[in-house]
Amino acid sequence: MKSTLATLLALASAAVAQNGVLNFPLNRGVPHFRVGNVRQNVKRDTYSQALINNITGGAYYAEVTVGTPGQKVSVVLDTGSSDLWVVSYQADLCTDSKIQREWGDSCDKTYNPNKSSSYKVLEEDGFEIRYLDNSTAAGDYITDDLKIGGTTIKSLQMGYATKTVRGAGILGVGYSSNVASTQRYPNLIDQFVAQKLITTKAYSLYLNDRRSDTGNILFGGIDKDKFIGDLSILPIYMAKGQAEPIHFEVEMQSVSLDLTKDGKTTKIISTDPSLSQTSTIAILDSGTTLSYLPAKITDQIHSKLNVYVDDMWTGLTFIDCKYLTSNPDMRLSFTFGSNATISVPVWEVVLDLLGGTQSDLPFKMPFERACIFGIQSTAGFQEDGFDEDWALLGETFLRSAYVVYDLTHHQIGMAQANLNSTTTDIVELRGADSGLPGGLVGVREQQTSKDSSESGSGSSTEKDGGAKETETVTAGSTAPTGTTTSGAKDSDSAAAGLSARGGAVGALAVAGLTSFFAFVGGAVVAL
């Protein structure tokens, strides 16, 4: 299998550089291997890091370089957490076969501090983080140099995990108010600004559709060719009396299930997320494969789509795989604020991950071919002490959205993603002191592609073959706008994949099932 991995990396196409932008499309990794091969799109002060989409459709990996000389390590990009941590070459997961069997994982590329002249220990045994699926990582807090997207951050604080159940580290890009340490420290996005690599703490995320191999993140920039129509600007939610945000939370106004036929759209379900006068608060989390909605919403959706909810073994919701091809114009619509609506095709949230394992499951589903449904209920989290009335929007939602995260001005920019875009039109975010720039408009309509499996990492050429210049924008004023259903520090972060009822992956001890769910991926919300 190691030779297969090497072969895939060798097949990666050469970087294409034009006008300072370096684009490197990546091939999809092998199941179980957390593979990334970094190339960057660099446009003046805008840094772009290529992302690898795991073949299961979950977890976007980047390959970064740590230490002097640099050691390549794979990390999962996670907007739901704030710490960067890497796996030690001596981590228990790397050496203990029992832990490997229990969690269905083994180590990928690890880090050896003895080989780095720039490594320093900050706090022995000071790093400890626990996620919502009960997975953990612990070790030391250290500093070392990090190279990401063609630029180097000097002496970045990070976790050095000697105890972990994950074979790849995590690249948390959230607020430093949510770091696992008892004492706040400047994390990756803070250091980008402090070391004058970008001038505002903001980045945009483009995951692309589930058939694509790659996604894209731009630190300090927005790519107008990656979204359709207007970029809506939303305030990041903060509770009354809260001084600053901890998570990327926005107010979700409604969810509907729509079907378009002969040019006419019919709302099969139209629901206000809340039965009260307040909206539901939704966390935007790239580190979780599935999305979770309150039961009062999912019950209606599940009923209409005739899903099967397994309450006993996995806590997961399954759907007939026929929805991969039937009703291609059936969509889930999510509305935020007064004018931001993201439309998600139902086939985009039908995950064909069981393969030949369906017959091995200890329960029988009412479908000849079952898929995992990408919209699950938050009701299962109540047993872990969480209120049910909230939403966690993971990759099954975010792949259809283009999202800008502005940590300086506590804003979210959101628009419908232009899937499989092959061009770039980058706007730099710098010198801004009042918020994200208003009036940004993307492409007029969804770009068509002859090959639905085409990589969507983007090319630096315009549609007519020419190159576009990068714009520099100074932000102006912005207005914050078991049944078949018929019919460490509490810092809720999420990273790397599938969450099953707030920890089914960690709690699952049934022989034969653990490996399957580890293959699919586990949800990580740092606690």
Side-chain angles (χ1 to χ4, degrees):
M1 296 187 74
K2 291 292 186 182
S3 59
T4 304
L5 174 61
T7 301
L8 275 181
L9 293 179
L11 290 174
S13 56
V16 179
Q18 287 190 358
N19 292 341
V21 175
L22 182 63
N23 175 54
F24 186 78
L26 299 173
N27 290 302
R28 194 175 267 176
V30 184
H32 185 70
F33 281 103
R34 295 176 171 178
V35 185
N37 195 16
V38 166
R39 291 299 186 272
Q40 67 279 359
N41 287 347
V42 182
K43 191 68 149 179
R44 299 177 191 169
D45 286 344
T46 302
Y47 297 92
S48 175
Q49 176 71 48
L51 305 175
I52 273 285
N53 184 2
N54 186 303
I55 197 168
T56 63
Y60 286 77
Y61 298 91
E63 188 177 83
V64 298
T65 301
V66 180
T68 307
Q71 302 173 45
K72 292 180 179 179
V73 296
S74 297
V75 288
V76 177
L77 180 81
D78 182 26
T79 63
S81 64
S82 303
D83 292 270
L84 165 66
W85 60 268
V86 294
V87 179
S88 165
Y89 74 109
Q90 293 181 320
D92 53 357
L93 178 68
C94 306
T95 58
D96 191 326
S97 59
K98 180 180 178 182
I99 298 176
Q100 293 174 6
R101 288 193 301 269
E102 180 181 354
W103 288 89
D105 205 352
S106 60
C107 293
D108 189 20
K109 298 176 182 177
T110 59
Y111 166 74
N112 184 347
N114 298 322
K115 295 182 179 181
S116 174
S117 62
S118 49
Y119 151 80
K120 293 182 180 178
V121 177
L122 278 184
E123 185 180 1
E124 289 187 1
D125 301 322
F127 171 67
E128 184 176 2
I129 193 166
R130 179 170 62 90
Y131 297 99
L132 189 60
D133 66 351
N134 291 322
S135 65
T136 60
D140 303 332
Y141 266 120
I142 67 169
T143 63
D144 210 337
D145 295 347
L146 175 82
K147 187 174 183 179
I148 179 173
T151 190
T152 299
I153 299 176
K154 306 293 287 184
S155 301
L156 177 68
Q157 181 167 338
M158 64 189 77
Y160 172 64
T162 53
K163 296 180 180 179
T164 178
V165 295
R166 298 185 174 277
I170 289 177
L171 180 64
V173 286
Y175 283 97
S176 56
S177 56
N178 193 34
V179 295
S181 174
T182 55
Q183 293 187 342
R184 183 170 180 169
Y185 67 86
N187 65 356
L188 176 72
I189 193 68
D190 292 333
Q191 289 288 16
F192 259 121
V193 174
Q195 298 189 27
K196 303 187 185 305
L197 301 171
I198 57 177
T199 59
T200 186
K201 291 186 285 186
Y203 58 89
S204 55
L205 188 61
Y206 174 75
L207 295 185
N208 214 354
D209 76 29
R210 64 175 171 80
R211 298 168 298 186
S212 177
D213 294 336
T214 60
N216 186 269
I217 183 171
L218 288 172
F219 292 102
I222 298 173
D223 189 344
K224 295 195 296 181
D225 276 6
K226 294 298 187 289
F227 64 90
I228 302 168
D230 296 333
L231 183 73
S232 298
I233 299 174
L234 307 168
I236 292 177
Y237 174 80
M238 287 189 286
K240 186 176 181 180
Q242 187 175 343
E244 62 179 321
I246 297 176
H247 308 295
F248 297 118
E249 297 175 305
V250 292
E251 294 188 12
M252 185 173 69
Q253 306 301 331
S254 65
V255 178
S256 64
L257 180 63
D258 308 326
L259 178 62
T260 300
K261 189 174 183 180
D262 298 327
K264 182 180 179 181
T265 299
T266 303
K267 289 189 178 297
I268 303 172
I269 298 172
S270 182
T271 175
D272 182 335
S274 178
L275 300 178
S276 65
Q277 297 301 310
T278 60
S279 55
T280 291
I281 304 304
I283 301 173
L284 304 175
D285 185 6
S286 70
T288 297
T289 300
L290 305 184
S291 296
Y292 297 81
L293 300 175
K296 59 196 171 191
I297 301 175
T298 57
D299 286 351
Q300 297 181 61
I301 296 173
H302 291 172
S303 177
K304 288 294 182 183
L305 299 179
N306 297 318
V307 307
Y308 176 81
V309 180
D310 171 36
D311 292 312
M312 179 175 294
W313 295 96
T314 66
L316 292 172
T317 299
F318 298 88
I319 189 171
D320 196 325
C321 285
K322 70 179 183 181
Y323 282 102
L324 283 168
T325 54
S326 66
N327 297 316
D329 295 320
M330 184 180 290
R331 294 173 172 269
L332 289 160
S333 295
F334 298 76
T335 301
F336 307 86
S338 59
N339 61 351
T341 298
I342 303 300
S343 179
V344 181
V346 168
W347 59 261
E348 181 76 48
V349 296
V350 178
L351 307 180
D352 189 6
L353 303 179
L354 295 180
T357 64
Q358 181 171 337
S359 59
D360 297 329
L361 297 175
F363 55 90
K364 184 174 178 59
M365 282 181 282
F367 318 123
E368 182 178 345
R369 182 171 164 228
C371 287
I372 295 175
F373 190 44
I375 305 294
Q376 308 269 324
S377 172
T378 58
F381 290 96
Q382 287 181 296
E383 61 195 52
D384 293 323
F386 292 91
D387 191 295
E388 178 189 337
D389 196 20
W390 56 281
L392 179 65
L393 301 180
E395 293 170 12
T396 52
F397 167 82
L398 290 172
R399 277 195 280 264
S400 295
Y402 186 84
V403 183
V404 184
Y405 300 79
D406 185 346
L407 292 76
T408 297
H409 306 104
H410 310 319
Q411 292 178 324
I412 292 291
M414 187 182 294
Q416 190 74 34
N418 177 28
L419 301 177
N420 300 303
S421 168
T422 58
T423 62
T424 61
D425 186 4
I426 297 173
V427 172
E428 273 187 272
L429 298 175
R430 68 179 191 182
D433 57 3
S434 58
L436 290 174
L440 285 185
V441 181
V443 299
R444 294 180 58 186
E445 57 188 1
Q446 170 62 52
Q447 175 177 312
T448 58
S449 173
K450 293 181 181 178
D451 182 2
S452 63
S453 65
E454 178 183 358
S455 171
S457 59
S459 163
S460 58
T461 59
E462 167 62 308
K463 295 177 181 66
D464 61 5
K468 290 187 178 181
E469 293 296 327
T470 300
E471 296 179 53
T472 299
V473 174
T474 299
S477 60
T478 56
T481 53
T483 57
T484 301
T485 311
S486 59
K489 169 187 175 184
D490 295 339
S491 58
D492 304 326
S493 78
L498 175 70
S499 177
R501 288 181 64 88
V505 176
L508 206 57
V510 181
L513 287 185
T514 304
S515 297
F516 164 70
F517 283 99
F519 170 80
V520 175
V524 198
V525 176
L527 299 179

